[in-house]
Amino acid sequence: LELGESLEEAAARELYEEAGLRAGSFRFITLLSGKDMYYKYPHGDEIYNVMAVYEALDVTGTPSIQDDEGLELRYFSIDRRIDGINPYAEMTLRKAGYIKSGWA
């Protein structure tokens, strides 16, 4: 969060900064925290996240990488396993209830 920013404002800002997309609104899904929210970035920084998960609704724009943090950006169906998915992203989707055990 930036100073004085709400969670929804942060979600909107991050969606645009990371993907070049805008959302008409956001739906709160869940709050994730705890020991399994540990993450070590490729450059070595280590963190324990507290993550508010929102679903972006009425999204407009074309996905495009806006910074030096991403290599590829595109939509995926969560009806089947995503080849090469980042384990942390998979855990986040699972904890938020988007994917279940036996994800094929």
Side-chain angles (χ1 to χ4, degrees):
L1 295 175
E2 300 291 340
L3 292 175
E5 189 174 50
S6 71
L7 290 171
E8 293 83 358
E9 289 167 338
R13 178 181 49 76
E14 288 290 338
L15 180 63
Y16 183 73
E17 287 178 1
E18 299 291 331
L21 300 171
R22 303 259 187 216
S25 62
F26 293 89
R27 181 170 64 99
F28 177 75
I29 302 299
T30 192
L31 187 66
L32 305 176
S33 64
K35 65 183 178 184
D36 55 350
M37 295 302 291
Y38 169 82
Y39 184 77
K40 184 173 183 178
Y41 286 97
H43 56 59
D45 285 356
E46 298 177 87
I47 59 171
Y48 281 90
N49 283 299
V50 174
M51 183 186 302
V53 180
Y54 284 85
E55 184 174 334
L57 305 171
D58 303 317
V59 175
T60 59
T62 301
S64 61
I65 295 173
Q66 303 291 305
D67 55 30
D68 62 353
E69 293 180 15
L71 301 175
E72 181 180 7
L73 184 61
R74 59 188 165 120
Y75 288 103
F76 292 90
S77 170
I78 56 173
D79 293 335
R80 60 184 173 84
R81 182 154 181 72
I82 300 165
D83 291 335
I85 189 171
N86 174 303
Y88 191 77
E90 181 175 347
M91 185 267 305
T92 300
L93 289 170
R94 193 174 302 284
K95 288 179 131 317
Y98 284 100
I99 56 176
K100 308 287 185 217
S101 297
W103 194 34

